[in-house]
Amino acid sequence: MPINQNVFSSLTAWRRRAVSRAVHRGARWVRETGAVTAERPGPYRFRRIGTGTRLAFPQGTVFGDPWIELGAYCIIGQDVTLTAGMMPDLDLGADPILTLGNGVVLGRGSHVIADVRLTIGDDCFFGPGVYVTTTNHSYDDPETPVGKQWPRSEPVAIGPGGWIGTGAVILPGARLGRNVVVAAGSVVRGEVPDHAVVAGAPARIVRRWEPGAGWQPPLRTPAPVPIPEGITPEQLVALGEWEKAES
């Protein structure tokens, strides 16, 4: 290959690397600058946004923010919709409509839509694409398109400590207790007691914690062993290699 062609190829590769680095630096700057926090609320006027809470950029649809309360240390993923009221610029009264407790995590692309009171307790974790709504269309009139019929609304309450799996749907009127697990893709309505696991569409209880008896039916996998305090990543890697060699 001629020398000038080598030089040209090297310059082209260098330019591509330089442009790639610049693009990634710019993307990081946009994500950091566009994130919403208590100190940098951007265009929003949330009723409350707690210390350490962060809405990743880009945000999804957000309106009714004066009636939305966000607790401390919440993580709101990219493209998450948070709405209070049926449309923007409504006067919803003196009380909050949508409340997230402390330490709530909403996975990317989730939707939390509140026309009436909707509460999510402390330390609830949502996977990506979860849909929670207080409102559903009615279909009483067989002659009118369903989308044009006036919807029905019921409050929703999700207790603290729950895990809502990817793609789950929480319907109007649902009331979930403490530390409830909702399997991915489930459709939940009605009451779910504390310490229950629900799955399916419609979701049904498939496992439950019973005082004195433990999980019924019993868990099929052993409890995870917590990582000891003070252990380093290098020690974990070495331990994994040792376990492979022993097996």
Side-chain angles (χ1 to χ4, degrees):
M1 184 180 293
I3 293 176
N4 60 344
Q5 190 169 349
N6 280 333
V7 171
F8 179 77
S9 298
S10 298
L11 285 172
T12 300
W14 179 85
R15 285 174 183 152
R16 286 176 177 167
R17 289 195 297 271
V19 169
S20 176
R21 287 194 294 268
V23 167
H24 284 284
R25 283 197 298 269
R28 283 195 297 271
W29 181 86
V30 169
R31 287 196 297 269
E32 287 298 318
T33 305
V36 169
T37 64
E39 296 75 26
R40 294 182 302 173
Y44 305 116
R45 297 177 295 117
F46 290 110
R47 186 185 187 97
R48 179 169 65 90
I49 179 168
T51 301
T53 287
R54 181 183 179 93
L55 285 75
F57 180 85
Q59 292 86 42
T61 300
V62 178
F63 64 75
D65 30 309
W67 290 270
I68 298 176
E69 298 179 320
L70 306 176
Y73 302 103
C74 295
I75 300 174
I76 314 298
Q78 294 180 6
D79 300 311
V80 168
T81 292
L82 293 172
T83 66
M86 297 187 69
M87 61 187 69
D89 302 323
L90 297 177
D91 184 350
L92 303 177
D95 299 324
I97 298 295
L98 171 57
T99 298
L100 272 60
N102 298 327
V104 172
V105 176
L106 300 182
R108 181 173 184 163
S110 292
H111 294 68
V112 183
I113 298 170
D115 297 340
V116 294
R117 191 76 172 109
L118 191 158
T119 59
I120 299 173
D122 295 347
D123 301 315
C124 277
F125 284 57
F126 288 48
V130 173
Y131 193 95
V132 185
T133 181
T134 63
T135 300
N136 209 346
H137 284 285
S138 58
Y139 49 88
D140 303 60
D141 183 352
E143 302 301 327
T144 302
V146 172
K148 293 184 177 181
Q149 297 191 42
W150 194 255
R152 288 188 173 90
S153 298
E154 293 184 74
V156 170
I158 300 175
W163 165 251
I164 315 298
T166 300
V169 177
I170 312 297
L171 292 175
R175 298 186 64 83
L176 281 61
R178 174 183 292 273
N179 282 32
V180 165
V181 175
V182 176
S186 299
V187 179
V188 183
R189 61 182 303 172
E191 296 270 348
V192 179
D194 294 348
H195 309 295
V197 180
V198 298
R204 303 194 182 281
I205 296 174
V206 296
R207 180 170 278 117
R208 191 172 175 186
W209 174 267
E210 298 180 5
W215 286 106
Q216 299 298 320
L219 298 174
R220 291 174 292 183
T221 54
V225 178
I227 298 173
E229 290 187 13
I231 193 167
T232 66
E234 292 76 16
Q235 289 171 325
L236 283 175
V237 171
L239 179 60
E241 294 297 331
W242 178 80
E243 288 179 343
K244 286 181 184 177
E246 288 295 308
S247 58

